[in-house]
Amino acid sequence: MSQPLQIVLQIVMNTPLWVWPLMVLVVWLGVKGLRTRTLPLWRLGILPVVGLGLSLVGIGQSPRPALALVAWLAALAIALPLGFLLGRRRAVRRLDDGRLEIGGGWFMLVFGLSIFAVRYALGVVFGMAPALRADPAWTALAGGVGGFVAGIGLGWLGGVGGRSSRWVRRIGWGPAILLPVVAAGFGGVIGFSTPGELPRLLAGDSLPGMSTWNWAELPPVQRVAARDGAALAYRVYPARADRAVVLVHGSSSASISMHKSAQALQAAGATVYSISLRGHGGSGTAIGDTSYRDQLDDDLVDFVKAVGLADPKIQKTLIGFSSGGGFVLRTASGANRQAFDAYLAISPYIAQDAATTRSDSGGWASVAVPRVVALSILDGLGLPWFQGLPVVRFATASGPSENRTPVYSFRLAAGLQLSRDWRREIARIDRPTIVAVGANDELFWAGQYEPLLKDLNPRISVEVVPGLGHLDMIAQERACAAVTALWRRLSGESGT
């Protein structure tokens, strides 16, 4: 038996039994439609309603239902007038008893077989290549095909029955109104949904002990150029040339906030590069914004090359705090994971729906959720429009400055975080990784990190430091010593 024939046989054998009676029903209804017949009004809508129902089931089963729904609505709006024109060409007469006398034609048979063929073909494709179900292009294609089939059926129903029944005409044309309504709703959400103002939260805005710092010890800001020519700002704390740490600050802050952590790591022998991410601390071209969603990932690669850390002889660790800790996990699970030998996330933000996240991050962040949802849907469609709009505001009393970024755009916020598929991303982290958090963290639930990460990826160690809050983890001497000990463990240094 040839290989193509074997594949066909396997597909047929693995087809659910209920599919075959459905095909028989579809063919029977289609054949009946080849000749002139008299039938009750409700029977006219059987196949269009079946097509509508199956397409809606497909949206519900999609891993990206919002993207599938948008594609479905767009295709529905295109197909409705086409179906209506086909329906208007069919001869139909209403009898005195309310039934319809409708002329024969090929539409019902072709339409019915199309419903079956589309659903069956997509089932076969996704069965043979399950990964395609989560692919945005295939999600949009599946939703669009379902919407097109449903639109042809409903439009045809409106064209045939609309001349004799007002409610059929409404069924046929009503969905066409949905597209401009949805588009207007999208525009309103994107235009008017903004992050709300918050009272200042000391636990996120006031770095303990900063007033006692010896500012003469703070290294000057240096800069290198990213691939787009924009400057990336950083401070260097020199020590051993073969042991390097790239240190990432938390949300709304800059490299200056990581000064005490950098000093402790430097004293332990690490050459520390405390960076200011683009949109912060003088990096990039605009406070609180990037040029595209994944630009922070590209900046990190550019920075490593520019300061000479690409040498494989250098043991490199990426350490980040809070949102910077989330960026550490994003990097450890992403395409740039090979750039570092080890990862340490301090009090990391994981995701809005993670068990570790308090409501509104403990009062630190206000998120324009409707705008985020709308922009995420557009992004899923491959349309990165309006992503420079603000979506997150932090509970700081400071305005925009070189050391403070009170508002994030959509693309900056998205580029700092793990994606919506964060569980799978954490599960694929394969390099030495530790998460550390203060037991009294005010922004996150410290006790939830270990059970969450143990379930997703047992390779990730979790260390809870007793008696410390959120900002304590980068400012208090005991916390900095604990972080240094964890770095030593990751880098294979003595003194652990």
Side-chain angles (χ1 to χ4, degrees):
M1 186 181 295
S2 64
Q3 185 175 5
L5 190 57
Q6 286 180 335
I7 294 175
V8 172
L9 183 61
Q10 284 285 59
I11 291 173
V12 172
M13 290 178 63
N14 287 287
T15 300
L17 292 177
W18 63 267
V19 169
W20 306 116
L22 176 61
M23 184 181 71
V24 171
L25 172 64
V26 164
V27 172
W28 178 73
L29 290 172
V31 170
K32 294 275 286 184
L34 291 174
R35 57 184 175 82
T36 300
R37 57 199 170 128
T38 302
L39 73 168
L41 189 59
W42 63 267
R43 282 182 54 188
L44 193 67
I46 291 178
L47 278 181
V49 170
V50 168
L52 174 64
L54 289 176
S55 67
L56 293 175
V57 168
I59 292 174
Q61 294 174 340
S62 171
R64 297 171 180 261
L67 172 58
L69 178 60
V70 171
W72 185 87
L73 287 168
L76 182 77
I78 294 171
L80 277 169
L82 298 178
F84 184 81
L85 292 175
L86 290 173
R88 295 289 291 181
R89 297 177 60 185
R90 182 65 59 88
V92 62
R93 182 169 66 93
R94 182 167 184 168
L95 305 179
D96 293 339
D97 61 2
R99 293 184 300 164
L100 297 181
E101 183 182 84
I102 181 168
W106 287 94
F107 176 82
M108 295 298 282
L109 181 60
V110 173
F111 177 70
L113 289 175
S114 298
I115 295 174
F116 176 81
V118 166
R119 295 293 299 169
Y120 192 73
L122 288 173
V124 170
V125 169
F126 293 146
M128 296 178 66
L132 291 179
R133 288 185 61 84
D135 184 89
W138 277 91
T139 298
L141 175 64
V145 169
F148 190 84
V149 170
I152 290 290
L154 291 173
W156 180 87
L157 179 62
V160 171
R163 285 172 288 174
S164 57
S165 174
R166 184 176 298 176
W167 70 265
V168 174
R169 184 163 58 249
R170 288 173 178 173
I171 290 175
W173 281 106
I177 302 173
L178 289 177
L179 187 62
V181 169
V182 170
F186 255 63
V189 165
I190 292 172
F192 298 106
S193 173
T194 58
E197 299 284 347
L198 290 170
R200 185 187 182 202
L201 182 71
L202 293 178
D205 193 38
S206 180
L207 200 61
M210 194 172 184
S211 60
T212 64
W213 285 5
N214 181 356
W215 294 99
E217 298 174 351
L218 186 69
V221 173
Q222 301 184 44
R223 290 177 172 83
V224 293
R227 65 190 65 185
D228 65 342
L232 302 177
Y234 67 102
R235 304 175 193 270
V236 181
Y237 297 75
R240 289 179 55 175
D242 62 340
R243 292 289 185 270
V245 168
V246 175
L247 200 56
V248 185
H249 57 82
S251 57
S252 88
S253 196
S255 63
I256 190 173
S257 66
M258 304 301 290
H259 176 58
K260 285 301 176 182
S261 298
Q263 283 187 315
L265 290 162
Q266 179 189 35
T271 293
V272 180
Y273 298 82
S274 183
I275 63 176
S276 290
L277 296 170
R278 183 182 293 254
H280 309 74
S283 288
T285 57
I287 296 176
D289 193 18
T290 57
S291 298
Y292 54 92
R293 186 187 57 187
D294 299 328
Q295 194 166 33
L296 297 181
D297 301 320
D298 293 341
D299 284 349
L300 185 62
V301 172
D302 295 345
F303 180 81
V304 167
K305 292 178 180 177
V307 298
L309 294 181
D311 187 343
K313 296 178 181 178
I314 301 174
Q315 201 280 342
K316 298 176 286 293
T317 305
L318 183 65
I319 302 178
F321 168 68
S322 198
S323 286
F327 185 66
V328 166
L329 297 177
R330 174 187 173 96
T331 305
S333 64
N336 299 329
R337 63 170 70 85
Q338 304 298 324
F340 294 88
D341 301 289
Y343 295 89
L344 174 54
I346 307 169
S347 309
Y349 173 81
I350 294 179
Q352 183 60 40
D353 58 339
T356 53
T357 305
R358 296 177 187 264
S359 177
D360 297 325
S361 294
W364 172 239
S366 171
V367 181
V369 176
R371 177 179 281 177
V372 169
V373 171
L375 295 179
S376 296
I377 291 173
L378 289 178
D379 191 62
L381 289 169
L383 304 174
W385 299 343
F386 314 114
Q387 293 190 1
L389 292 173
V391 297
V392 182
R393 185 182 302 277
F394 299 105
T396 174
S398 304
S401 68
E402 187 167 300
N403 291 323
R404 183 60 75 181
T405 304
V407 177
Y408 281 2
S409 69
F410 174 88
R411 54 196 174 206
L412 173 57
L416 259 175
Q417 303 169 12
L418 295 159
S419 76
R420 286 169 292 180
D421 198 15
W422 57 270
R423 292 174 179 84
R424 184 178 300 178
E425 291 175 349
I426 288 177
R428 68 170 174 245
I429 294 176
D430 56 5
R431 297 228 154 186
T433 302
I434 296 176
V435 168
V437 61
N440 298 339
D441 196 294
E442 302 91 344
L443 276 60
F444 306 120
W445 298 109
Q448 294 295 325
Y449 281 94
E450 185 168 11
L452 176 66
L453 296 176
K454 183 178 181 181
D455 180 58
L456 296 176
N457 191 334
R459 293 185 295 269
I460 300 176
S461 299
V462 176
E463 299 289 334
V464 179
V465 185
L468 295 178
H470 189 70
L471 287 175
D472 293 336
M473 289 298 294
I474 58 171
Q476 297 285 15
E477 182 178 348
R478 183 160 59 90
C480 294
V483 168
T484 299
L486 294 175
W487 169 75
R488 283 173 168 160
R489 184 198 303 177
L490 286 169
S491 59
E493 294 292 305
S494 60
T496 60

